[in-house]
Amino acid sequence: IDTSYMKNGQFFSEYRMRDTISGREAQAALGLRNTFQLAEGLAMLTSFEHTTTISGSSGRSTAASAAFEYTRNPLWKGSLRLEGRKESSQTSYLATAAYAAKVNRDWSFIARDYLSVTDRKSGQTGVQNRFQLGMAYRPVDNDALALLARVEYLVDRNAGGTKSKNDRLIFAASANYHPIRSIWLSGRVAAKMLVNDVNNYSAYTVGLRGIYDITENWDLGLQAGMLADHTGAMSYSA
């Protein structure tokens, strides 16, 4: 249930499933959402909410957040968000920043960073930072070829009674080629490197797929792929 109590201001009451797969925990939330237009294309968004667990063991939590969004320039957009949440067992902080730009008519770019800090009552402090870069090639005048690429670096630290390190570097790219109406070709390549306290791991994969429209109602598809890791083990699929 929600209602507007001012312009761009909303009071809400929600009933939530904490785990939508098993439905083990249900929460009742009560809070406010506001949007303040500071200038043309510049907005500040704030929110405050309090949740109570009806069933389950999560207890209660109180959260507040503030965000800024810039959308005035037609060629680029940016956002910044800060959030704090206090629960019975821990206090967590979240900061996200995003930047998206249209480089030209065919190329676009996005950068995003996600920083999460969790202070637990047990004395452990967890820090996770996820940085992502992405590029997309989508021609305006000719849609025969489309490309997507992404690089992600994740720093995961859990300090305290048991120190742990779990960092990951991921690269992924995919391409779709549609030369004529009856033929679709796609390919993908991805690589991952994992560094933790126990051992290091790396793997890469390559995949190809083709589709041919035989008639209006029938098509023929062929797909093949390969997965390999740093130990030399390889898997194939077709």
Side-chain angles (χ1 to χ4, degrees):
I1 301 174
D2 63 78
T3 183
S4 298
Y5 68 94
M6 58 174 281
K7 184 179 179 181
N8 297 325
Q10 183 186 45
F11 172 82
F12 67 91
S13 177
E14 298 174 348
Y15 184 72
R16 303 171 178 171
M17 285 288 194
R18 184 177 175 88
D19 190 335
T20 57
I21 296 176
S22 64
R24 288 191 298 266
E25 296 182 352
Q27 293 181 332
L30 190 70
L32 301 172
R33 298 189 186 105
N34 301 287
T35 301
F36 302 97
Q37 205 68 36
L38 304 180
E40 182 182 356
L42 178 62
M44 181 177 71
L45 298 85
T46 62
S47 69
F48 175 84
E49 72 171 33
H50 179 76
T51 62
T52 302
T53 301
I54 298 174
S55 64
S57 57
S58 297
R60 299 184 177 185
S61 68
T62 302
S65 69
F68 295 90
E69 292 183 350
Y70 179 78
T71 58
R72 182 175 181 178
N73 194 306
L75 297 180
W76 68 272
K77 294 175 174 58
S79 66
L80 175 66
R81 178 180 174 85
L82 303 173
E83 178 181 312
R85 180 176 296 271
K86 184 174 180 59
E87 303 177 53
S88 56
S89 60
Q90 64 185 27
T91 301
S92 57
Y93 307 93
L94 175 67
T96 60
Y99 171 80
K102 187 79 171 174
V103 181
N104 54 40
R105 283 169 54 86
D106 301 331
W107 287 92
S108 56
F109 167 85
I110 186 170
R112 182 167 57 186
D113 190 73
Y114 166 104
L115 174 63
S116 174
V117 179
T118 303
D119 291 327
R120 304 179 181 90
K121 284 192 173 181
S122 59
Q124 294 181 333
T125 300
V127 179
Q128 186 179 90
N129 189 82
R130 184 190 303 269
F131 180 68
Q132 296 174 324
L133 290 175
M135 290 289 291
Y137 174 71
R138 292 169 291 193
V140 176
D141 301 323
N142 181 9
D143 62 351
L145 178 65
L147 304 173
L148 288 173
R150 182 187 65 150
V151 177
E152 176 178 315
Y153 184 63
L154 174 66
V155 177
D156 196 349
R157 298 286 192 273
N158 184 26
T162 58
K163 294 184 178 181
S164 66
K165 174 183 178 181
N166 193 24
D167 298 349
R168 292 187 289 274
L169 176 63
I170 298 172
F171 168 78
S174 63
N176 288 322
Y177 183 53
H178 186 43
I180 59 177
R181 183 179 181 276
S182 59
I183 296 179
W184 292 84
L185 301 174
S186 64
R188 64 180 181 184
V189 59
K192 176 180 180 179
M193 183 172 65
L194 171 67
V195 179
N196 58 30
D197 293 334
V198 180
N199 54 21
N200 299 334
Y201 174 83
S202 61
Y204 66 91
T205 181
V206 176
L208 297 171
R209 183 185 184 189
I211 299 176
Y212 175 70
D213 287 334
I214 303 173
T215 67
E216 183 179 350
N217 299 320
W218 290 88
D219 61 59
L220 177 67
L222 177 63
Q223 181 172 315
M226 183 270 294
L227 173 67
D229 63 19
H230 69 286
T231 64
M234 303 183 72
S235 301
Y236 300 92
S237 64

